[in-house]
Amino acid sequence: MTQQRLLPINHGYNFRDLGGYRTTDGRTVKWRRLIRAGALSRLNSQDQETLAAVPVTIDIDLRSKPEILAAPDRIPQTAKYYHLPVFNVDVTNASRSDEEVAEEMQEPGNGYRHMQLEYRNMAKLASARQAYRKMFSLLLANSTGAALFHCTAGKDRTGFGAFLILSALGVPRETILQDYLLTNETTAEFRQRWVAQLQSSTAELGNRDAVIKNRSDMMAVFPGYLTAAIDTVNQLAGDPKHYLTDCLGLTRHDLADLQRLYLDEERL
């Protein structure tokens, strides 16, 4: 199933279809309608043709303006681009240099704690709520083709976005968490190469072992990261459904329309 989810993208990673997930009432998420991804800045013409063949009709970029200026998306000709910044800068550090981040990562556990903090911020900051609210508006208007949403690494801002979307569609939390953790599998080779490179270049960066462990934790996903966001959601609204309505402004009709658009009606 993991291989079925992965799109054959050669110059990007973590491009995954959210189709096929079962909801609590026995329906399934439609294939080729919702795609989560990493950045599109390195796509070549073949990759763009692959996305056009889906077809991807909207590209939702959750990155900050500095990230976009440094690495703008290369989108397929079938897609319309939308910039919905969750944060004003990349607080997840996916786009910062190793040297910049290393200064803040000398203490063991800082990487894990930092990511938990930013996941909480994804649920409560005004900029984040505005971005995810607009994301749902675009999903509601996208009657054909696939909506692709992404950040830089395709794991944090994208991961919380996937949690919100799948929750709105009625997918159980256990399934959502499994999808979230797939990032560790789909990016394993990339992260191993990156850690090897980091190990060979951080001798002068103080507490070398702590820096490498903290940076490794920040490049991966853990249940505790998403749980930090879900706990904040529950504190703010009681549960994800009420967060969608009370904090993001979705109506019951909106939720019904999302399910009509993105779920197969046949119950298994």
Side-chain angles (χ1 to χ4, degrees):
M1 180 65 81
T2 300
Q3 290 303 317
Q4 185 179 1
R5 296 196 177 287
L6 284 173
L7 275 67
I9 300 298
N10 298 313
H11 294 79
Y13 59 90
N14 216 10
F15 283 67
R16 308 206 310 262
D17 197 317
L18 292 179
Y21 286 130
R22 187 81 57 85
T23 66
T24 55
D25 65 1
R27 291 181 287 178
T28 55
V29 180
K30 293 179 179 178
W31 289 98
R32 300 301 185 259
R33 290 286 281 136
L34 294 164
I35 296 172
R36 54 175 296 174
L40 280 64
S41 60
R42 294 180 294 176
L43 300 186
N44 62 10
S45 58
Q46 182 179 347
D47 294 327
Q48 293 180 68
E49 290 173 5
T50 296
L51 296 179
V54 173
V56 171
T57 49
I58 58 175
D59 169 25
I60 300 172
D61 192 340
L62 300 173
R63 298 178 298 166
S64 63
K65 186 175 181 179
E67 291 172 273
I68 292 172
L69 291 174
D73 277 2
R74 302 190 68 192
I75 65 173
Q77 61 182 2
T78 55
K80 187 172 182 180
Y81 175 83
Y82 296 92
H83 178 213
L84 307 182
V86 173
F87 300 124
N88 293 325
V89 296
D90 176 23
V91 296
T92 66
N93 293 315
S95 62
R96 296 176 65 193
S97 72
D98 296 333
E99 291 76 13
E100 289 176 309
V101 178
E103 294 182 7
E104 304 168 9
M105 292 296 146
Q106 300 292 321
E107 183 180 342
N110 264 7
Y112 190 93
R113 289 189 291 268
H114 172 82
M115 295 306 295
Q116 284 190 312
L117 172 63
E118 298 313 332
Y119 271 74
R120 295 186 188 101
N121 286 334
M122 286 181 212
K124 67 182 180 181
L125 290 183
S127 62
R129 291 195 203 182
Q130 181 180 27
Y132 290 121
R133 183 183 300 115
K134 289 183 178 179
M135 176 187 74
F136 277 109
S137 296
L138 292 172
L139 294 181
L140 285 164
N142 191 48
S143 59
T144 60
L148 182 151
F149 59 103
H150 76 93
C151 51
T152 291
K155 67 184 187 71
D156 302 315
R157 289 163 286 187
T158 302
F160 185 59
F163 162 76
L164 293 173
I165 293 169
L166 293 176
S167 294
L169 297 178
V171 175
R173 184 176 302 181
E174 295 79 9
T175 303
I176 297 174
L177 181 59
Q178 290 171 7
D179 174 79
Y180 173 75
L181 294 175
L182 272 180
T183 286
N184 287 337
E185 179 180 336
T186 58
T187 64
E189 184 178 347
F190 165 80
R191 288 184 293 108
Q192 288 168 1
R193 292 198 307 268
W194 177 84
V195 168
Q197 180 179 355
L198 187 64
Q199 288 173 329
S200 66
S201 63
T202 56
E204 73 284 3
L205 295 179
N207 190 345
R208 182 172 179 274
D209 289 342
V211 170
I212 293 173
K213 179 62 167 65
N214 284 327
R215 289 292 274 141
S216 297
D217 286 350
M218 293 166 69
M219 289 293 290
V221 293
F222 294 91
Y225 292 173
L226 187 58
T227 299
I230 295 173
D231 287 346
T232 303
V233 163
N234 292 340
Q235 290 166 8
L236 291 170
D239 56 47
K241 181 178 179 180
H242 284 92
Y243 180 84
L244 292 167
T245 56
D246 298 352
C247 296
L248 298 189
L250 296 178
T251 67
R252 288 182 297 174
H253 293 298
D254 290 333
L255 294 173
D257 285 342
L258 284 167
Q259 293 178 9
R260 176 181 55 80
L261 286 167
Y262 295 98
L263 295 179
D264 287 320
E265 285 302 315
E266 182 179 355
R267 288 171 168 79
L268 301 178

